[in-house]
Amino acid sequence: MTCRKCSEKPVIKLLNSSAVLCRSCFIKYFEKKVKRTISGYKLIEKNDHIVFAASGGKDSTTLIYLIKKILNSRKDVKLTAVGIDEGIHDYRDKNLEFLKKFCKENKISLKIYSYKKEFGKSLDEILKKYKGIPCSICGVLRRYLLNKKARELHATKLATGHNLDDESQSIMMNYFRDNMKISARLGPKTGIVKNKGFIPRIKPLYFLTEKEVTAYAFLKGFMHEFTECPHSSEAYRGSVRDMLNEFEAKYPGTKHSIINSFIEILPLLKEKFKKEDSEIKSCTICEEPCAQSICKTCQYIKNIF
Ligand code: SF4
Ligand code: ZN
Ligand code: ZN
């Protein structure tokens, strides 16, 4: 068997087709897809300051590397990586070490903020008292911190490494939980209405599968000794991920179909929930933008810390 585009030895079979590609054709295919997403959805504009939500994992590392490569030393766009240290023993510290090394080698400015310093407690300490699903509280705190820090850094966009698998999981989770309002905030570029407190999020890896991102990261040497968060299997997302993987194996193309049909209805969802999202308030405690009078982060701090 040879590469679909040339006569070289293939390294990957694409998920939604029977095509196999060699190393160099796959890298070209991958980078072209990211460029198309950026231009098609206007993810990066003139004079942007892009802040990356960087974890030291394969997705965000691939994202930072590629955006830097695509922008090719464009002087008008500024890039900064932001790492969040949740304080999870034997997990995040390793990834953050890799992130520091990667940012240094690629000349990307990096800022790291920790739960311990920002909220007074690490996630490990919080979980001694909080008995719910760890990802529920961790996700709220991380999104809060990323948005706040990106805004303080005067970012115009917050770029995340979400891929097609992550997004199809989020879409299905919102269906299962009757949460279409949250789905209205998904898509390659989020933000239904402009609110100066919220930094718009962009997802340049949106149309690439987990398998493709992993292959790209591996071929580029970004795969280090990668450890999974010890709490990841406890999450609802984990069950949805396993279900979708099983479905994809039986019915190839399932994940692409979820994304394609979601993209079709997304403008209708955004229109439907536009009004509710325009009624964003400021938290009476921390003054961050939120839907109620007290934001979820302050509610957690008040009740659990
Ligand atoms: Fe936090 Fe859950 Fe992610 Fe672990 S898997 S870092 S607990 S959101
Ligand atoms: Zn080839
Ligand atoms: Zn608050």
PDB file of all heavy atoms in Angstrom, residues 86 88 91-92 115 123 134-136 138-139 142 229-232 235, ligand 1:
ATOM      1  N   GLU A  86      -3.245  23.585  38.212  1.00  0.00           N
ATOM      2  CA  GLU A  86      -4.378  23.291  39.109  1.00  0.00           C
ATOM      3  C   GLU A  86      -3.891  22.823  40.475  1.00  0.00           C
ATOM      4  O   GLU A  86      -4.607  22.933  41.457  1.00  0.00           O
ATOM      5  CB  GLU A  86      -5.289  22.198  38.515  1.00  0.00           C
ATOM      6  CG  GLU A  86      -5.906  22.531  37.171  1.00  0.00           C
ATOM      7  CD  GLU A  86      -5.046  22.053  36.012  1.00  0.00           C
ATOM      8  OE1 GLU A  86      -3.853  21.726  36.233  1.00  0.00           O
ATOM      9  OE2 GLU A  86      -5.555  22.018  34.887  1.00  0.00           O
ATOM     10  N   ILE A  88      -2.331  19.415  40.892  1.00  0.00           N
ATOM     11  CA  ILE A  88      -2.708  17.995  40.938  1.00  0.00           C
ATOM     12  C   ILE A  88      -1.397  17.221  41.026  1.00  0.00           C
ATOM     13  O   ILE A  88      -0.586  17.244  40.098  1.00  0.00           O
ATOM     14  CB  ILE A  88      -3.507  17.570  39.675  1.00  0.00           C
ATOM     15  CG1 ILE A  88      -4.728  18.482  39.485  1.00  0.00           C
ATOM     16  CG2 ILE A  88      -3.912  16.094  39.743  1.00  0.00           C
ATOM     17  CD1 ILE A  88      -5.454  18.315  38.160  1.00  0.00           C
ATOM     18  N   TYR A  91       0.972  15.201  38.257  1.00  0.00           N
ATOM     19  CA  TYR A  91       0.383  15.284  36.912  1.00  0.00           C
ATOM     20  C   TYR A  91       0.778  16.577  36.218  1.00  0.00           C
ATOM     21  O   TYR A  91       1.619  16.595  35.326  1.00  0.00           O
ATOM     22  CB  TYR A  91      -1.145  15.124  36.988  1.00  0.00           C
ATOM     23  CG  TYR A  91      -1.874  15.597  35.757  1.00  0.00           C
ATOM     24  CD1 TYR A  91      -1.631  15.010  34.520  1.00  0.00           C
ATOM     25  CD2 TYR A  91      -2.805  16.644  35.818  1.00  0.00           C
ATOM     26  CE1 TYR A  91      -2.288  15.461  33.382  1.00  0.00           C
ATOM     27  CE2 TYR A  91      -3.463  17.090  34.694  1.00  0.00           C
ATOM     28  CZ  TYR A  91      -3.206  16.500  33.478  1.00  0.00           C
ATOM     29  OH  TYR A  91      -3.849  16.951  32.361  1.00  0.00           O
ATOM     30  N   ARG A  92       0.194  17.697  36.643  1.00  0.00           N
ATOM     31  CA  ARG A  92       0.392  18.928  35.891  1.00  0.00           C
ATOM     32  C   ARG A  92       1.845  19.405  35.917  1.00  0.00           C
ATOM     33  O   ARG A  92       2.332  19.966  34.937  1.00  0.00           O
ATOM     34  CB  ARG A  92      -0.556  20.025  36.404  1.00  0.00           C
ATOM     35  CG  ARG A  92      -0.512  21.296  35.636  1.00  0.00           C
ATOM     36  CD  ARG A  92      -0.940  21.124  34.177  1.00  0.00           C
ATOM     37  NE  ARG A  92      -2.369  21.079  34.013  1.00  0.00           N
ATOM     38  CZ  ARG A  92      -2.979  20.462  32.993  1.00  0.00           C
ATOM     39  NH1 ARG A  92      -2.288  19.846  32.068  1.00  0.00           N
ATOM     40  NH2 ARG A  92      -4.292  20.446  32.918  1.00  0.00           N
ATOM     41  N   TYR A 115      -3.912  27.683  40.904  1.00  0.00           N
ATOM     42  CA  TYR A 115      -5.110  27.767  41.749  1.00  0.00           C
ATOM     43  C   TYR A 115      -4.695  28.196  43.154  1.00  0.00           C
ATOM     44  O   TYR A 115      -5.365  28.978  43.801  1.00  0.00           O
ATOM     45  CB  TYR A 115      -5.797  26.392  41.836  1.00  0.00           C
ATOM     46  CG  TYR A 115      -6.595  25.966  40.623  1.00  0.00           C
ATOM     47  CD1 TYR A 115      -6.593  26.715  39.451  1.00  0.00           C
ATOM     48  CD2 TYR A 115      -7.369  24.802  40.649  1.00  0.00           C
ATOM     49  CE1 TYR A 115      -7.325  26.299  38.346  1.00  0.00           C
ATOM     50  CE2 TYR A 115      -8.107  24.393  39.551  1.00  0.00           C
ATOM     51  CZ  TYR A 115      -8.073  25.135  38.393  1.00  0.00           C
ATOM     52  OH  TYR A 115      -8.799  24.735  37.309  1.00  0.00           O
ATOM     53  N   LEU A 123      -6.052  22.233  43.654  1.00  0.00           N
ATOM     54  CA  LEU A 123      -7.192  21.332  43.423  1.00  0.00           C
ATOM     55  C   LEU A 123      -7.138  20.150  44.403  1.00  0.00           C
ATOM     56  O   LEU A 123      -8.172  19.746  44.940  1.00  0.00           O
ATOM     57  CB  LEU A 123      -7.221  20.817  41.973  1.00  0.00           C
ATOM     58  CG  LEU A 123      -8.489  20.036  41.634  1.00  0.00           C
ATOM     59  CD1 LEU A 123      -9.708  20.933  41.593  1.00  0.00           C
ATOM     60  CD2 LEU A 123      -8.365  19.306  40.306  1.00  0.00           C
ATOM     61  N   PRO A 134     -14.657  15.931  40.285  1.00  0.00           N
ATOM     62  CA  PRO A 134     -13.552  16.902  40.270  1.00  0.00           C
ATOM     63  C   PRO A 134     -13.561  17.836  39.055  1.00  0.00           C
ATOM     64  O   PRO A 134     -13.320  19.033  39.188  1.00  0.00           O
ATOM     65  CB  PRO A 134     -12.299  16.020  40.267  1.00  0.00           C
ATOM     66  CG  PRO A 134     -12.738  14.740  40.892  1.00  0.00           C
ATOM     67  CD  PRO A 134     -14.167  14.560  40.516  1.00  0.00           C
ATOM     68  N   CYS A 135     -13.885  17.289  37.874  1.00  0.00           N
ATOM     69  CA  CYS A 135     -13.843  18.122  36.659  1.00  0.00           C
ATOM     70  C   CYS A 135     -14.873  19.250  36.695  1.00  0.00           C
ATOM     71  O   CYS A 135     -14.674  20.268  36.031  1.00  0.00           O
ATOM     72  CB  CYS A 135     -14.082  17.277  35.418  1.00  0.00           C
ATOM     73  SG  CYS A 135     -12.775  16.093  35.169  1.00  0.00           S
ATOM     74  N   SER A 136     -15.980  19.057  37.417  1.00  0.00           N
ATOM     75  CA  SER A 136     -17.006  20.106  37.452  1.00  0.00           C
ATOM     76  C   SER A 136     -16.420  21.372  38.054  1.00  0.00           C
ATOM     77  O   SER A 136     -16.511  22.449  37.469  1.00  0.00           O
ATOM     78  CB  SER A 136     -18.219  19.679  38.275  1.00  0.00           C
ATOM     79  OG  SER A 136     -18.684  18.451  37.827  1.00  0.00           O
ATOM     80  N   CYS A 138     -13.136  21.943  38.748  1.00  0.00           N
ATOM     81  CA  CYS A 138     -11.861  22.274  38.109  1.00  0.00           C
ATOM     82  C   CYS A 138     -12.096  23.050  36.803  1.00  0.00           C
ATOM     83  O   CYS A 138     -11.426  24.043  36.531  1.00  0.00           O
ATOM     84  CB  CYS A 138     -11.083  20.989  37.839  1.00  0.00           C
ATOM     85  SG  CYS A 138      -9.462  21.266  37.150  1.00  0.00           S
ATOM     86  N   GLY A 139     -13.087  22.596  36.021  1.00  0.00           N
ATOM     87  CA  GLY A 139     -13.388  23.256  34.739  1.00  0.00           C
ATOM     88  C   GLY A 139     -13.847  24.690  34.937  1.00  0.00           C
ATOM     89  O   GLY A 139     -13.447  25.596  34.205  1.00  0.00           O
ATOM     90  N   ARG A 142     -10.829  26.826  36.020  1.00  0.00           N
ATOM     91  CA  ARG A 142      -9.872  27.036  34.928  1.00  0.00           C
ATOM     92  C   ARG A 142     -10.399  28.029  33.882  1.00  0.00           C
ATOM     93  O   ARG A 142      -9.690  28.920  33.444  1.00  0.00           O
ATOM     94  CB  ARG A 142      -9.472  25.722  34.262  1.00  0.00           C
ATOM     95  CG  ARG A 142      -8.202  25.947  33.428  1.00  0.00           C
ATOM     96  CD  ARG A 142      -7.664  24.733  32.762  1.00  0.00           C
ATOM     97  NE  ARG A 142      -8.690  24.013  32.085  1.00  0.00           N
ATOM     98  CZ  ARG A 142      -8.876  22.714  32.196  1.00  0.00           C
ATOM     99  NH1 ARG A 142      -8.123  22.001  32.967  1.00  0.00           N
ATOM    100  NH2 ARG A 142      -9.829  22.127  31.515  1.00  0.00           N
ATOM    101  N   CYS A 229      -4.600  13.050  33.563  1.00  0.00           N
ATOM    102  CA  CYS A 229      -5.056  13.533  34.856  1.00  0.00           C
ATOM    103  C   CYS A 229      -5.721  12.361  35.599  1.00  0.00           C
ATOM    104  O   CYS A 229      -6.548  11.653  35.016  1.00  0.00           O
ATOM    105  CB  CYS A 229      -6.055  14.671  34.668  1.00  0.00           C
ATOM    106  SG  CYS A 229      -6.806  15.180  36.219  1.00  0.00           S
ATOM    107  N   PRO A 230      -5.398  12.156  36.878  1.00  0.00           N
ATOM    108  CA  PRO A 230      -6.005  11.018  37.603  1.00  0.00           C
ATOM    109  C   PRO A 230      -7.522  11.108  37.716  1.00  0.00           C
ATOM    110  O   PRO A 230      -8.185  10.118  38.030  1.00  0.00           O
ATOM    111  CB  PRO A 230      -5.348  11.100  38.990  1.00  0.00           C
ATOM    112  CG  PRO A 230      -4.793  12.484  39.104  1.00  0.00           C
ATOM    113  CD  PRO A 230      -4.459  12.912  37.711  1.00  0.00           C
ATOM    114  N   HIS A 231      -8.079  12.304  37.466  1.00  0.00           N
ATOM    115  CA  HIS A 231      -9.536  12.459  37.605  1.00  0.00           C
ATOM    116  C   HIS A 231     -10.288  12.314  36.280  1.00  0.00           C
ATOM    117  O   HIS A 231     -11.505  12.375  36.266  1.00  0.00           O
ATOM    118  CB  HIS A 231      -9.863  13.839  38.200  1.00  0.00           C
ATOM    119  CG  HIS A 231      -9.159  14.087  39.489  1.00  0.00           C
ATOM    120  ND1 HIS A 231      -9.381  13.316  40.603  1.00  0.00           N
ATOM    121  CD2 HIS A 231      -8.217  14.993  39.839  1.00  0.00           C
ATOM    122  CE1 HIS A 231      -8.603  13.746  41.587  1.00  0.00           C
ATOM    123  NE2 HIS A 231      -7.887  14.759  41.147  1.00  0.00           N
ATOM    124  N   SER A 232      -9.555  12.177  35.171  1.00  0.00           N
ATOM    125  CA  SER A 232     -10.235  12.226  33.874  1.00  0.00           C
ATOM    126  C   SER A 232     -11.265  11.107  33.706  1.00  0.00           C
ATOM    127  O   SER A 232     -12.288  11.306  33.067  1.00  0.00           O
ATOM    128  CB  SER A 232      -9.220  12.203  32.729  1.00  0.00           C
ATOM    129  OG  SER A 232      -8.485  11.023  32.788  1.00  0.00           O
ATOM    130  N   ALA A 235     -14.986  11.645  34.948  1.00  0.00           N
ATOM    131  CA  ALA A 235     -15.841  12.643  34.313  1.00  0.00           C
ATOM    132  C   ALA A 235     -16.909  12.023  33.418  1.00  0.00           C
ATOM    133  O   ALA A 235     -16.697  10.968  32.818  1.00  0.00           O
ATOM    134  CB  ALA A 235     -14.974  13.595  33.504  1.00  0.00           C
TER     135      ALA A 235
HETATM  136 FE1  SF4 B   1      -9.258  19.309  35.926  1.00  0.00          FE
HETATM  137 FE2  SF4 B   1     -10.796  17.224  35.161  1.00  0.00          FE
HETATM  138 FE3  SF4 B   1      -9.026  18.253  33.462  1.00  0.00          FE
HETATM  139 FE4  SF4 B   1      -8.200  16.871  35.583  1.00  0.00          FE
HETATM  140  S1  SF4 B   1      -9.394  16.064  33.828  1.00  0.00           S
HETATM  141  S2  SF4 B   1      -7.357  18.815  34.858  1.00  0.00           S
HETATM  142  S3  SF4 B   1      -9.740  17.463  37.117  1.00  0.00           S
HETATM  143  S4  SF4 B   1     -10.851  19.296  34.301  1.00  0.00           S
END
